[in-house]
Amino acid sequence: PFTKDGAIDWAGVETLAAHLVATGHDGIVVNGTTGEAPTTKSSEKEEIIRVVRNTVGSKVKVLSGAGDNETEYSINQAKRTEKAGADGLLVVTPYYNKPPQAGIEAHFRAVAAVTDLPIMMYDIPGRTGVEIESDTIVKLFESVKNIVALKDAKGNIAATSWVIKRCGIPVYSGDDILNLPFLSVGAV
């Protein structure tokens, strides 16, 4: 939540987090790429994590977006996120510059190497310009201990089904309209 002058509405952040817990949510993602991440400073992202964590206590998991198109920024954001008290990271594919699969793999490995927090990869090619290909997802999940899940907004049920069958990665739907089809192929 923001005030009319563009500042973060901290009381609104607390109210929203408390509402989500009261209505049965067991996890909250803050600093998401289609949420407040593009419009907040690094220091504000850290404070959002702290405010939500203080509001919800240990009742729910708090994940925080830590992805960027610059790997070094993503690494630093992952460190700040961990220090601020998040339970896990949501890391988006580097966007705009369309790296090859080797670059995507290197990006996720670099972020994972600096933290013990669990990482959910976020595959949203409509926003990033490039997908995480199925083989890359499987390779990362099988070889990087703290890459533990995938948020899939690719919209390719067949590819997602193949990935789930091949390696068993927990997949979360990134498109509400595809929740049921994703669940039907083994997403969580």
Side-chain angles (χ1 to χ4, degrees):
F2 293 94
T3 63
K4 288 184 181 189
D5 65 353
I8 295 174
D9 175 1
W10 296 108
V13 171
E14 291 173 352
T15 300
L16 183 56
H19 169 76
L20 291 171
V21 172
T23 55
H25 293 78
D26 59 5
I28 298 173
V29 177
V30 299
N31 301 317
T33 53
T34 51
E36 62 275 4
T39 58
T40 54
K41 299 176 194 76
S42 295
S43 60
E44 292 171 323
K45 288 175 180 58
E46 292 174 58
E47 188 62 19
I48 290 168
I49 296 165
R50 284 191 283 274
V51 168
V52 170
R53 167 56 65 217
N54 288 338
T55 301
V56 303
S58 60
K59 296 175 192 161
V60 301
K61 297 292 184 189
V62 177
L63 278 74
S64 182
D68 192 80
N69 66 334
E70 180 192 8
T71 301
E72 189 64 29
Y73 178 85
S74 297
I75 287 170
N76 290 327
Q77 191 60 30
K79 292 175 184 177
R80 289 187 292 265
T81 296
E82 186 169 17
K83 205 178 279 186
D87 297 302
L89 303 171
L90 178 64
V91 180
V92 70
T93 309
Y95 48 85
Y96 188 76
N97 47 13
K98 298 181 181 179
Q101 292 303 299
I104 292 170
E105 182 180 342
H107 175 81
F108 281 105
R109 286 184 185 281
V111 174
V114 301
T115 182
D116 290 326
L117 290 179
I119 294 173
M120 179 184 293
M121 296 181 290
Y122 187 13
D123 190 10
I124 183 166
R127 301 271 183 162
T128 63
V130 64
E131 70 176 280
I132 311 172
E133 292 177 2
S134 297
D135 286 334
T136 304
I137 293 167
V138 171
K139 186 188 299 184
L140 286 165
F141 180 67
E142 291 180 341
S143 65
V144 181
K145 69 175 176 51
N146 56 332
I147 291 181
V148 300
L150 172 70
K151 180 178 178 186
D152 188 322
K154 188 172 1 201
N156 184 339
I157 301 293
T160 303
S161 174
W162 182 88
V163 166
I164 292 169
K165 177 72 173 163
R166 175 123 177 253
C167 69
I169 188 171
V171 174
Y172 294 80
S173 175
D175 291 310
D176 291 348
I177 192 119
L178 294 178
N179 286 349
L180 182 58
F182 269 56
L183 289 170
S184 76
V185 298
V188 297

